[in-house]
């Protein structure tokens, strides 16, 4: 029991520590791709510490909910990110690492964040919250189709079972899994407000989605929101790596050397995922807000098509 608690705590600490590093790595790669030096990889840590030391400025129109939402969002996303198997499967809380549960936790965090944007009553907060809800209404059905397809393939929605099944030779080469992978990447881009859905580096009022909801936050509240966004990015990269690139993950009751190898493999997957994201965002431009439904509609259709292909192949 003590060993299981230590390994589970190690995974929770690992995702919390690596989330700012992944964000800094993506910024650094994007800067180098456009021939700029860019900030150091550790810059997000400094930004978070600077925000934690600053004074919190609250609007007179804000309620207690506005002050509590950053902590609720951070706790929910941290729990969801910690449930995804990173360095090992079969951990102490792996029974709760269910794809449907993680989707529900992320939906709850998104709801509270949109509520925080509406609480103060500013026009920018309302615009950002309405756009966030519009994106969520299209991303969540696509995510449900992805979950159902993976459940049909692996026979379970529990991530440890899915990861262990994907390592075996029973998977084979399936077109449905390729479609689901593309759909999950599209959903991850939209959920994290990345290009082409949103530009995290801009503050233009007419194009903001995530930034518009958090304009009124400052100090430690803004630090919690920023850290939550970094954790969410790491969560989706970890989810893609766990389901589609599960090699290197240690099994349950493995040796300490296997856990160390799993942590090293996880770091390599994060580096590859961050570099791929930076390359994609550098090569593509941001689309108009009214084109986002078409972008997410493609993910929904790919997930639905993958599920239909599984039904057809099983009936033949």
């Amino acid at each position: 029991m003590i060993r299981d608690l230590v390994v589970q705590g190690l995974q929770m600490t690992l995702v919390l520590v690596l989330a700012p590093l992944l964000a800094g790595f993506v910024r650094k790669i994007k800067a180098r791709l456009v021939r700029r030096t860019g900030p150091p990889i550790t810059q997000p840590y400094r930004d978070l510490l600077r925000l934690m030391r600053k004074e919190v400025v609250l609007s007179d129109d804000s309620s207690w909910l506005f002050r509590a939402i950053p902590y609720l969002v951070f706790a929910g996303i941290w729990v969801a990110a910690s449930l995804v198997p990173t360095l090992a499967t079969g951990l102490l809380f792996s029974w709760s690492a269910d794809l449907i549960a993680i989707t529900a936790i992320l939906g709850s965090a998104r709801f509270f964040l949109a509520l925080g944007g509406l609480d103060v009553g500013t026009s920018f907060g309302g615009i950002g919250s309405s756009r966030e809800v519009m994106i969520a209404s299209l991303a969540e059905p696509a995510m449900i189709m992805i979950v159902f397809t993976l459940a049909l393939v692996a026979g379970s929605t529990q991530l440890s079972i899915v990861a262990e099944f994907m390592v075996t030779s029973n998977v084979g080469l399936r077109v449905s899994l390729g479609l689901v992978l593309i759909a999950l990447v599209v959903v991850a881009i939209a959920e994290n407000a990345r290009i082409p859905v949103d530009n995290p580096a801009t503050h233009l009022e007419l194009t903001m989605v995530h930034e518009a909801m958090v304009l009124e936050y400052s100090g430690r509240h803004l630090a919690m929101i920023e850290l939550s966004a970094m954790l969410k990015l790491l969560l989706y990269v970890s989810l893609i790596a766990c389901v589609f690139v599960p090699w290197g993950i240690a099994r349950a009751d493995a040796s300490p050397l296997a856990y160390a190898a799993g942590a090293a493999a996880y770091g390599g997957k994060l580096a590859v995922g961050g570099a791929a994201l930076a390359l994609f965002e550098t090569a593509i431009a941001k689309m108009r807000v009214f084109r986002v439904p078409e972008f997410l509609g493609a993910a929904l259709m790919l997930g639905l098509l993958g599920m239909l292909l599984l039904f057809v192949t099983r009936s033949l």
Side-chain angles (χ1 to χ4, degrees), residues 212-282:
M213 291 187 294
V214 302
L215 274 179
E216 297 298 321
Y217 283 106
S218 61
R220 61 180 182 275
H221 295 160
L222 183 58
M224 291 291 101
I225 295 293
E226 294 295 332
L227 184 55
S228 301
M230 297 173 188
L231 277 169
K232 194 174 184 180
L233 177 62
L234 181 134
L235 185 154
Y236 275 97
V237 175
S238 303
L239 184 61
I240 294 173
C242 170
V243 175
F244 296 100
V245 196
W247 299 281
I249 300 180
R251 299 294 182 91
D253 299 327
S255 62
L257 185 61
Y259 286 130
Y266 177 60
K269 294 172 188 177
L270 288 181
V272 173
L277 176 61
L279 180 61
F280 176 78
E281 289 190 331
T282 306

Side-chain angles (χ1 to χ4, degrees), residues 51-56 70-71 218-225:
L51 289 173
M52 291 295 292
R53 290 195 295 263
K54 283 193 172 183
E55 181 185 0
V56 175
Y71 303 101
S218 61
R220 61 180 182 275
H221 295 160
L222 183 58
M224 291 291 101
I225 295 293

Side-chain angles (χ1 to χ4, degrees), residues 2 53 66 72 76 149 165 182 224 236 242 271 293 308 314:
I2 296 178
R53 290 195 295 263
F66 183 81
L72 293 174
T149 305
F165 177 81
I182 299 173
M224 291 291 101
Y236 275 97
C242 170
L308 292 176
R314 290 191 177 187

Side-chain angles (χ1 to χ4, degrees), residues 96-138:
S96 60
D98 190 272
L99 277 169
I100 298 178
I102 291 175
T103 304
I105 292 174
L106 292 177
S108 300
R110 186 188 308 110
F111 166 76
F112 283 116
L113 190 60
L115 194 63
L118 293 171
D119 185 76
V120 182
T122 61
S123 57
F124 289 154
I127 291 174
S129 297
S130 63
R131 290 175 178 174
E132 180 72 11
V133 172
M134 182 267 292
I135 293 173
S137 65
L138 298 170

